[in-house]
Amino acid sequence: MTAPWSLRALVADLVAGRTTPEAAAAEARSRIAAASYDAWVSSAYLPSSPGPLGGVPLGVKDIIDLAGLPTRCGSVLRADAAPATVDASIVREWRRAGAVPIGKTVTTEFAFFAPGPTGNPAAPGHTPGGSSSGSAAAVAAGHVPLALGSQTAGSVTRPAAFCGVASLVMTRGRFPVDGVTGLSPSLDSHGMFTATVSDLALAWSALSGEPEVAPSSAPRLLVWSSADVSPAMENAVGTAVSLLRAAGAVVDEFPDPALVPALTAAHPVVMAYEAARERSVELASADRLSAPLAQLLRTGAEMPRAEYEAALDVVASGATRLAEIVGGYDAVLAPAALGSAPAGLAATGDPVLSRPWQALGLPVIAVPGLRDEAGLPLGLQLVGRASDESALLGTGRWVEAALTR
């Protein structure tokens, strides 16, 4: 396996003239040809713009429109889709920042549970997670230093954790979602993958226009975990807390553990109700969908609106309560998944530990660096305040450094 490609190092080479956008694209194609991991569904190359990432190869999840290529969404229903005529808004923003899309990465069927063919470069024979599996694997394999994903439940955080790379789920609504084939308007968020949190900070600055944030001073964190995590993950969280405290962080226990299960339970209700309406065309062809997606859409279609509205009320009250809890803290620290990547490629793992934070639409970073006794990646997640990605990335850079000292 090729090591992940440092975005920061590539940008430095491009700025200094030690390489060119054309050479960077050629390098990406060479890396993809050497070890595909079935992470890609199509390729493209368009000239770069002179933004801060000018010439950086970019992977684009195949539910996001990229002009000139079809958006197939990992589904037989889109097998004959015509090429998109315009970029999604988020792709235009990345082009403005100078990134160069070089192809579409594998997604699960309509970003739900039916997996694609993608393997996990960091854990051969184990799932790369879903639904942004191709993007996570492409970064983990070193094909590209930057790839786009999306998250409705755990589709960015979980594959980052399983593949041992960093990810950022952006605050919901921070950028438009036109040109993205979504599932749930109240839950769908943009995301991205890089090798490290340091690279995330560089990419976020280029995308948002905000100054790049340096590592913060020792943060104040609230730690939350689940009784359902694997023993290895439980040990990893304990180790992380010890390392962070030794480095100077204040780490306190999350004071209202009942809040998280309530949000976790509300999330799939909102998702099912909205998915049935967002994907009503596909619902009409449910017999051609995977059993999990067909069941989601049928469940949502039959759901009483009162049940959906009750779930939204839980989310709204949960947001108020969480704002009270996190006052005076920089982030919530939690396991990013129940454990390391499950064996096999027939399933993508459980997104349960992302559901509560995704229901709230908050920015989330997956921090790599920990592993279990078998050497498989174990990810942590940091949950920040809405529309304050820069502060969260500063905290994430400090945590990443403390875990790898």
Side-chain angles (χ1 to χ4, degrees):
M1 170 189 161
T2 303
W5 195 350
S6 167
L7 176 66
R8 191 172 294 277
L10 176 59
V11 169
D13 287 343
L14 287 162
V15 171
R18 292 188 290 268
T19 190
T20 65
E22 292 76 16
E27 174 67 18
R29 293 185 187 288
S30 175
R31 290 172 179 232
I32 293 169
S36 76
Y37 294 102
D38 290 319
W40 300 84
V41 294
S42 55
S43 62
Y45 178 74
L46 294 170
S48 64
S49 72
L53 298 180
V56 169
L58 174 74
V60 179
K61 181 180 181 179
D62 195 25
I63 65 166
I64 303 171
D65 286 351
L66 181 60
L69 293 177
T71 305
R72 294 197 172 101
C73 302
S75 172
V76 295
L77 299 184
R78 299 285 184 93
D80 299 321
T85 56
V86 297
D87 288 332
S89 285
I90 191 66
V91 172
R92 292 199 297 273
E93 290 297 317
W94 282 108
R95 287 194 197 276
R96 179 197 52 74
V100 182
I102 65 161
K104 307 293 288 288
T105 56
V106 169
T107 177
T108 60
E109 179 195 37
F110 286 105
F112 199 53
F113 280 122
T118 306
N120 186 335
H126 295 250
T127 176
S131 65
S132 306
S133 50
S135 288
V139 170
H143 294 167
V144 287
L146 176 64
L148 307 189
S150 67
Q151 178 154 300
T152 305
S155 297
V156 169
T157 304
R158 183 167 90 265
F162 287 173
C163 293
V165 297
S167 69
L168 169 66
V169 178
M170 302 174 199
T171 303
R172 185 167 52 251
R174 192 71 192 268
F175 290 91
V177 293
D178 62 281
V180 179
T181 305
L183 274 176
S184 172
S186 294
L187 300 172
D188 296 338
S189 299
H190 291 297
M192 62 170 158
F193 299 87
T194 61
T196 63
V197 179
S198 174
D199 283 352
L200 286 179
L202 176 62
W204 174 253
S205 175
L207 178 68
S208 67
E210 297 174 4
E212 185 184 343
V213 64
S216 70
S217 56
R220 294 174 56 85
L221 304 171
L222 287 171
V223 61
W224 176 87
S225 191
S226 165
D228 296 326
V229 300
S230 70
M233 179 59 87
E234 183 178 4
N235 290 337
V237 173
T239 298
V241 169
S242 296
L243 290 171
L244 297 175
R245 284 175 172 159
V250 173
V251 185
D252 294 330
E253 292 293 324
F254 193 84
D256 188 356
L259 173 63
V260 180
L263 291 166
T264 303
H267 176 280
V269 175
V270 175
M271 185 173 178
Y273 185 89
E274 294 190 359
R277 286 141 186 92
E278 190 76 358
R279 302 265 59 85
S280 58
V281 172
E282 287 76 20
L283 175 60
S285 301
D287 58 336
R288 299 180 64 198
L289 299 173
S290 66
L293 181 55
Q295 183 61 46
L296 174 77
L297 300 184
R298 287 166 175 153
T299 297
E302 296 170 359
M303 184 180 292
R305 183 169 179 83
E307 184 177 350
Y308 165 67
E309 292 178 341
L312 290 179
D313 288 343
V314 170
V315 173
S317 61
T320 300
R321 176 61 180 141
L322 187 70
E324 296 169 352
I325 289 172
V326 301
Y329 289 89
D330 296 291
V332 176
L333 172 71
L338 293 174
S340 58
L345 302 181
T348 63
D350 194 331
V352 64
L353 299 190
S354 291
R355 289 187 187 275
W357 322 113
Q358 194 61 26
L360 298 173
L362 299 175
V364 177
I365 292 172
V367 182
L370 300 176
R371 292 183 179 268
D372 65 13
E373 290 184 351
L376 302 181
L378 291 169
L380 299 175
Q381 59 180 330
L382 289 168
V383 184
R385 287 183 286 272
S387 300
D388 204 358
E389 282 85 349
S390 289
L392 180 62
L393 286 161
T395 300
R397 292 188 71 176
W398 189 94
V399 168
E400 182 176 62
L403 294 180
T404 55
R405 280 175 185 160

